[in-house]
Amino acid sequence: MHVALEVVSGSSAGKQYQIRHKQMLTFGRTQWADVSFPHDQQMSSTHFVIERDDSWCWLKDLDSTNGTQLNDEFVKTAVVKEGDRIVAGTTEFVVHIRSSEDEEKPHHSTVPSGTPPIIVDSIRKRSPIGSSAPLYTVESCESGLILYRGMPDENPFRPSAIAGHLAMSLTLVMVIHHEKYGGKVPQELSPDAVLFDWLPEEAARYHSPVVLAADGFPEWPDIIDAAWDHDAIICFYLPGKPEDATKRLIENFRSNLKESNNEGGRGLLGFCWPSVLSQLLTFRDLAFIEQLIGDFAGILMEIPDLAATWQLFGKPALEEILVSSGFKKTD
């Protein structure tokens, strides 16, 4: 089938926007939306999203200030059909749906199946893909890992956007040290998330790094942006489901930390922070790194003294995800 939204009011009346096979298209007032209406002051920055598959098309309000109407009723999520009318702000749209034997191929920005909705919503609001693709260079580390280093460009830099686009394909688990950047510890934090578990529970909440999966944790983009450039956050991209990946990472880290606390132990405490872990990932052998962290696809962190960029350690296959997410390699 072919799906399009036609604008039927305002200065953009007559324009049509096609929604491709398995595509999500966001509409809003600012550049963070895929389709923007900067003159509609009643529309939120990212107001609503339209998504479709082979058989259905549906609308979702993105927690907009003034709400989204479908056929004169406010909705949060709803299936749409031919002729339905959508109102966001002062702009009105009509849905056009028709069948076709020549179904379109998926667009290159298709959201991978199985991506958690909380990740999808956050990424669509904070996309790093602006007028030019985020740039990166590639170099080999003594450890055997590949270092993908972000380059400053004309796009506004949001660490959470870079982190989130990778999370569309991989499970994102964060190690956060709230005390180092002055952040507020989530009230719902489980004791199982605390790395320094030998501390009294209340002390551990405020003085220990914690491990949190982005899936199911709506505040993750704000925390990444706030903790960036404070040596306080590392983003791990791990195989498996979020709950299992988080548990494995905590177990590996705690095992190493216990060795650190034992007299004469060989463990390391500083691997919780970018300034230390980046050196280990660059110079230590791969066997040591995998014993410390376990199986991983990539590790994203800040570059010291270069707040508006990033570094990503991983293996050669990780570059496929960067390219498919819209990033561009440069010399």
Side-chain angles (χ1 to χ4, degrees):
M1 65 180 180
H2 290 277
V3 179
L5 250 63
E6 179 185 1
V7 184
V8 294
S9 70
S11 59
S12 298
K15 290 186 177 181
Q16 291 196 18
Y17 300 95
Q18 184 177 344
I19 296 90
R20 304 176 190 272
H21 177 250
K22 293 187 177 178
Q23 186 186 11
M24 299 176 67
L25 201 63
T26 55
F27 293 75
R29 190 186 70 255
T30 67
Q31 63 179 351
W32 298 114
D34 297 319
V35 180
S36 61
F37 298 83
H39 300 299
D40 189 341
Q41 296 302 307
Q42 299 302 310
M43 192 178 287
S44 293
S45 56
T46 51
H47 198 105
F48 70 90
V49 61
I50 291 286
E51 183 177 2
R52 59 158 290 200
D53 59 15
D54 293 331
S55 305
W56 301 93
C57 181
W58 56 96
L59 161 74
K60 181 178 180 180
D61 178 76
L62 296 175
D63 295 326
S64 62
T65 301
N66 294 316
T68 301
Q69 295 183 57
L70 177 64
N71 300 328
D72 299 322
E73 292 186 6
F74 286 100
V75 297
K76 286 295 185 181
T77 303
V79 173
V80 297
K81 61 185 184 300
E82 167 66 26
D84 279 350
R85 304 180 78 85
I86 299 170
V87 175
T90 60
T91 305
E92 185 174 356
F93 307 81
V94 171
V95 179
H96 297 295
I97 301 177
R98 62 183 177 87
S99 61
S100 173
E101 294 179 359
D102 301 319
E103 184 56 82
E104 299 172 85
K105 300 295 182 183
H107 188 264
H108 74 274
S109 64
T110 293
V111 177
S113 62
T115 303
I118 200 167
I119 299 289
V120 173
D121 290 347
S122 298
I123 302 322
R124 292 299 174 183
K125 294 177 181 179
R126 298 166 181 261
S127 172
I129 310 301
S131 57
S132 63
L135 304 176
Y136 68 93
T137 60
V138 180
E139 58 189 86
S140 299
C141 301
E142 291 185 20
S143 62
L145 294 175
I146 304 297
L147 173 58
Y148 306 94
R149 193 189 299 268
M151 303 295 292
D153 59 32
E154 63 187 73
N155 293 311
F157 177 68
R158 282 185 178 272
S160 61
I162 301 296
H165 266 271
L166 295 171
M168 301 285 268
S169 301
L170 300 163
T171 295
L172 169 58
V173 179
M174 304 167 293
V175 175
I176 310 160
H177 200 164
H178 292 87
E179 185 180 34
K180 293 197 74 172
Y181 77 96
K184 185 177 180 180
V185 180
Q187 289 296 320
E188 66 275 18
L189 182 70
S190 167
D192 293 335
V194 173
L195 282 182
F196 296 173
D197 59 344
W198 62 85
L199 293 174
E201 183 174 333
E202 194 62 22
R205 282 179 55 85
Y206 295 100
H207 301 298
S208 170
V210 300
V211 181
L212 296 172
D215 178 38
F217 188 64
E219 296 85 0
W220 69 265
D222 297 322
I223 288 179
I224 290 178
D225 290 338
W228 202 262
D229 198 36
H230 291 280
D231 199 30
I233 188 163
I234 304 172
C235 298
F236 293 85
Y237 296 93
L238 308 174
K241 297 180 179 180
E243 183 177 350
D244 296 335
T246 304
K247 183 178 179 181
R248 288 196 306 271
L249 187 63
I250 291 174
E251 288 175 349
N252 284 331
F253 276 9
R254 282 182 176 174
S255 176
N256 190 277
L257 288 167
K258 287 177 181 177
E259 288 188 14
S260 301
N261 285 330
N262 292 335
E263 188 174 350
R266 295 175 293 135
L268 298 167
L269 285 170
F271 62 77
C272 305
W273 304 303
S275 58
V276 175
L277 186 60
S278 61
Q279 297 299 307
L280 297 177
L281 296 174
T282 301
F283 299 110
R284 293 300 299 262
D285 61 272
L286 192 55
F288 172 87
I289 294 170
E290 290 180 341
Q291 182 179 11
L292 174 65
I293 299 170
D295 190 17
F296 67 93
I299 303 172
L300 176 72
M301 65 186 76
E302 66 196 47
I303 300 177
D305 302 320
L306 292 173
T309 188
W310 48 272
Q311 56 183 341
L312 174 68
F313 294 87
K315 297 173 183 177
L318 190 58
E319 190 165 10
E320 296 180 12
I321 295 175
L322 287 173
V323 173
S324 66
S325 298
F327 295 72
K328 183 178 180 181
K329 181 179 177 180
T330 186
D331 296 329

